[in-house]
Amino acid sequence: MSTPAPAIEAVELGKSYGTGAKAVHALTDLSFTVEPGTVFGLLGPNGAGKSTTVRILTTLSRPDAGHARVHGIDVVQQPANVRQLIGYVSQKPGFDPVATGLENLILQGRIHGAPARDARSRAAGLLERFDLTGPGRRLAGTWSGGMQRKLDVAMGLMHRPRVLFLDEPTTGLDPQARLELWAEIARLAREDGLTVLLTTHYLEEADHLAARLAIVDAGRVVAAGTPDQLKSALGGDTIRAGLVRQSDAGRARDVIGAIPGAGAVFAEGGALHARVADGAAVLPAVLAALEAAGIELASVGVARPSLDDVYLHHAGRSFREADRLDDREAALL
Ligand code: ADP
Ligand code: MG
């Protein structure tokens, strides 16, 4: 038997917005594969190209280069066939706030061609599935943010897709609502066999939910694998040191960098991250050298690599720094 086609294949995707000197190269050579029935995470800071990728895979935008398939079907050549297979929950809310939850779902079903009775029973089933039966008869605009997000996901499931795309599903949710949605997303893959591609700029979300993930930076995949693979591939430990005075950061980086056994050292605001082979062995030398240089520490610790360290290693800057920089760029637009 031949192996089944992957649920999603993105091959060397390229996409630019605008032309000439003002062109924004949103994607350059972006590739990844998603196996059926798994949760796959596209993790990257704001502006990395996550939404652009999802819009191409959901047939809403065309790539300039490369190609993509969903269950073997090309998104550019056969978009209508792809759309039957997929559900899409965009970064922005998609429900109608002045319709009830039930009405939103039924309308969604009707748009996809379901007969009224089928749409109604599917809608009722989904409300129950997401624990929204009670509020289902109230206007969706009156619901909490977490409930509204669940409604968006339920709408994406009305036509029983095999592949669900969730673009930043938990952005803006409080921690409790985020945990609830995580549980629902995990259940979709585990119990219903759905393939889920989610984008996120939350490291802990990708770490928690994604069986495999691709870290995207500036329109390229810089690392891919299971969260554990990515972390253990780095090897060694990370020493994190918080400085009393942020102005010491540059000097502290030089001091730690000169210690034998210390690898790459990054400064981020008032914190330093140093990659070392053996944290416990190198830590005393780090403390002694900083003290000799008159650099005061507010905190210090040794930890196994986190996804933050993975990103730092591959992208050459910290995840939060990248996210913040892009926010600043976005604010200037
Ligand atoms: P992400 O979803 O990872 O935050 P996007 O895919 O939205 O990233 O954006 C990638 C890059 O493309 C960013 O630099 C963004 O400003 C730019 N971009 C996205 N959409 C457009 C557009 N319609 N016109 C011009 N530039 C765009
Ligand atoms: Mg986005």
Side-chain angles (χ1 to χ4, degrees):
M1 229 176 76
S2 62
T3 46
I8 305 170
E9 276 176 283
V11 182
E12 295 169 11
L13 291 178
K15 175 82 185 176
S16 299
Y17 295 104
T19 50
K22 282 190 177 164
V24 175
H25 302 293
L27 303 182
T28 41
D29 228 12
L30 183 128
S31 303
F32 62 88
T33 303
V34 181
E35 294 310 314
T38 62
V39 179
F40 185 86
L42 273 186
L43 169 67
N46 280 324
K50 304 180 297 296
S51 294
T52 299
T53 305
V54 169
R55 282 196 295 268
I56 290 171
L57 294 172
T58 54
T59 78
L60 300 172
S61 170
R62 289 171 71 105
D64 305 334
H67 64 269
R69 296 194 193 94
V70 175
H71 283 289
I73 305 172
D74 191 281
V75 296
V76 173
Q77 280 158 26
Q78 295 180 277
N81 298 23
V82 169
R83 282 199 286 271
Q84 285 175 2
L85 289 177
I86 64 170
Y88 167 54
V89 180
S90 79
Q91 206 170 326
K92 301 207 178 78
F95 63 88
D96 177 355
V98 296
T100 68
L102 188 64
E103 287 164 351
N104 268 290
L105 289 168
I106 292 173
L107 176 64
Q108 189 69 16
R110 301 288 281 153
I111 288 170
H112 280 282
R117 275 175 64 120
D118 292 0
R120 178 167 286 273
S121 69
R122 174 79 175 150
L126 281 170
L127 285 175
E128 187 168 345
R129 164 94 163 68
F130 285 97
D131 213 9
L132 294 170
T133 302
R137 298 191 177 277
R138 293 207 313 267
L139 300 186
T142 66
W143 294 11
S144 73
M147 287 156 60
Q148 291 177 339
R149 211 58 193 141
K150 284 203 260 180
L151 177 60
D152 276 325
V153 174
M155 286 168 66
L157 293 170
M158 268 304 282
H159 61 297
R160 304 179 191 278
R162 292 172 69 186
V163 181
L164 184 66
F165 292 89
L166 300 172
D167 198 0
E168 308 251 358
T170 67
T171 295
L173 295 188
D174 62 63
Q176 178 59 31
R178 176 171 299 155
L179 282 179
E180 271 179 40
L181 197 55
W182 284 3
E184 293 295 348
I185 294 168
R187 201 149 70 101
L188 289 172
R190 195 177 60 240
E191 291 177 13
D192 304 343
L194 212 69
T195 305
V196 179
L197 183 149
L198 68 94
T199 78
T200 183
H201 68 277
Y202 296 119
L203 293 157
E204 68 279 16
E205 182 157 294
D207 208 354
H208 179 91
L209 267 185
R212 296 180 59 81
L213 61 98
I215 300 181
V216 185
D217 187 53
R220 292 175 307 117
V221 172
V222 293
T226 70
D228 279 344
Q229 277 170 352
L230 290 169
K231 286 182 258 182
S232 55
L234 280 193
D237 298 312
T238 298
I239 293 180
R240 295 199 180 83
L243 303 175
V244 171
R245 289 176 300 274
Q246 192 168 330
S247 54
D248 285 339
R251 221 155 44 84
R253 191 177 55 209
D254 295 342
V255 168
I256 297 175
I259 294 168
V265 187
F266 293 89
E268 183 207 358
L272 290 163
H273 307 244
R275 302 278 315 130
V276 297
D278 182 344
V282 178
L283 188 59
V286 170
L287 295 177
L290 290 174
E291 188 176 356
I295 296 168
E296 280 181 73
L297 292 183
S299 64
V300 67
V302 177
R304 305 291 298 161
S306 65
L307 278 185
D308 222 339
D309 299 313
V310 173
Y311 180 82
L312 195 64
H313 177 77
H314 292 286
R317 55 187 175 158
S318 89
F319 196 85
R320 261 170 299 159
E321 185 72 11
D323 226 25
R324 214 169 33 226
L325 276 178
D326 197 84
D327 282 347
R328 214 177 298 154
E329 284 160 17
L332 292 174
L333 287 175

